[in-house]
Amino acid sequence: MAIKRRDYLSWSQLNIWEKNPNLYYEIYVLGLEAPYTKWMKKGKDLAEYLKNGGEADNDVKSIAKLIPTYPEKEFEIKAKLNKNINLLGYLDSFDPKELKIYEYKTGKKYTQKMADKLGQLDFYTLLVWLKYQKLPKSIKLIWIETINKDDIVAFSGKIKTFEVKKTMKDIIKISSRIKKAKQGIDEMWEMVNG
């Protein structure tokens, strides 16, 4: 039995749809659990602590003190593309007055090339453009290295910042990707609802 369709498109939905429409179907139509690893959990724990404080392990608390932030954490931003595609995103850290974004990534490796090619930052740039009619003044990806220590994911203490530049050309490309995905997703739901 299908679950209720979301009335918006997020980066997660777009990314999963483009990589694997069958996985999209399993998660967003059938309601099955998305794949979740201990590596992802570590990043989620850090994001939760940066937003709300409270309880966290010492590893998370220690690294959180070293990470730059803007006034808003997990900033919800909604916008419409072409008046009929609702978009939703959560910027890890955002300065709405200056239009500056920090996106945090954990993992074993991150490079400038990976940061430059991250479609998630194109998606967020589009959201800022649609909401504020301006490109973000600054987009920085903050990579927090994780290691596998005695089969436990831990932060190594290494943090690196990658400055990412986005242009109107990037907005046009991500808009095209979104429209194509929306069409495919609409067709899938039409088949489901028969």
Side-chain angles (χ1 to χ4, degrees):
M1 182 174 140
I3 60 173
K4 186 175 185 282
R5 182 176 179 178
R6 296 178 185 199
D7 64 351
Y8 62 86
L9 189 67
S10 67
W11 165 251
S12 296
Q13 291 175 61
L14 176 64
N15 189 40
I16 290 171
W17 173 262
E18 289 181 329
K19 287 182 179 176
N20 186 342
N22 291 328
L23 182 59
Y24 178 95
Y25 177 81
E26 291 173 1
I27 295 169
Y28 295 104
V29 177
L30 298 179
L32 302 178
E33 288 288 322
Y36 197 72
T37 67
K38 61 184 179 181
W39 302 93
M40 294 165 75
K41 182 180 181 328
K42 193 68 170 182
K44 185 81 171 166
D45 289 348
L46 177 60
E48 187 68 30
Y49 182 74
L50 288 172
K51 181 181 179 188
N52 300 318
E55 292 299 313
D57 64 37
N58 288 335
D59 192 34
V60 168
K61 288 180 180 180
S62 296
I63 205 75
K65 293 175 187 173
L66 304 175
I67 299 171
T69 62
Y70 289 127
E72 301 291 336
K73 282 78 169 173
E74 290 293 312
F75 183 79
E76 181 181 89
I77 185 167
K78 295 178 181 179
K80 276 192 187 287
L81 179 63
N82 288 6
K83 298 182 182 176
N84 68 338
I85 303 174
N86 296 317
L87 302 176
L88 172 67
Y90 290 92
L91 309 182
D92 285 346
S93 190
F94 185 58
D95 182 338
K97 290 181 182 173
E98 294 292 320
L99 302 183
K100 294 180 177 181
I101 299 170
Y102 282 135
E103 175 64 24
Y104 307 121
K105 291 295 178 195
T106 58
K108 295 182 209 178
K109 180 182 178 184
Y110 230 88
T111 64
Q112 183 67 55
K113 186 176 181 180
M114 292 167 70
D116 290 338
K117 288 187 169 194
L118 184 63
Q120 184 176 12
L121 296 178
D122 296 326
F123 192 91
Y124 291 167
T125 298
L126 173 62
L127 282 170
V128 169
W129 171 258
L130 291 171
K131 184 170 176 84
Y132 300 96
Q133 287 75 53
K134 293 180 183 177
L135 289 171
K137 287 184 184 174
S138 170
I139 305 169
K140 293 181 181 175
L141 186 142
I142 310 296
W143 169 55
I144 305 110
E145 184 182 48
T146 53
I147 56 174
N148 197 358
K149 186 177 179 182
D150 301 325
D151 206 33
I152 295 172
V153 177
F155 295 116
S156 71
K158 181 178 181 179
I159 298 171
K160 191 166 183 182
T161 301
F162 300 101
E163 180 84 33
V164 178
K165 300 287 184 203
K166 295 296 174 185
T167 65
M168 289 305 295
K169 185 177 178 181
D170 298 308
I171 286 178
I172 292 166
K173 285 182 182 177
I174 194 71
S175 296
S176 178
R177 288 171 60 189
I178 290 167
K179 291 172 196 172
K180 183 178 177 184
K182 171 81 162 63
Q183 182 178 350
I185 291 167
D186 286 348
E187 290 169 4
M188 176 181 281
W189 278 97
E190 284 174 20
M191 288 173 49
V192 167
N193 293 325

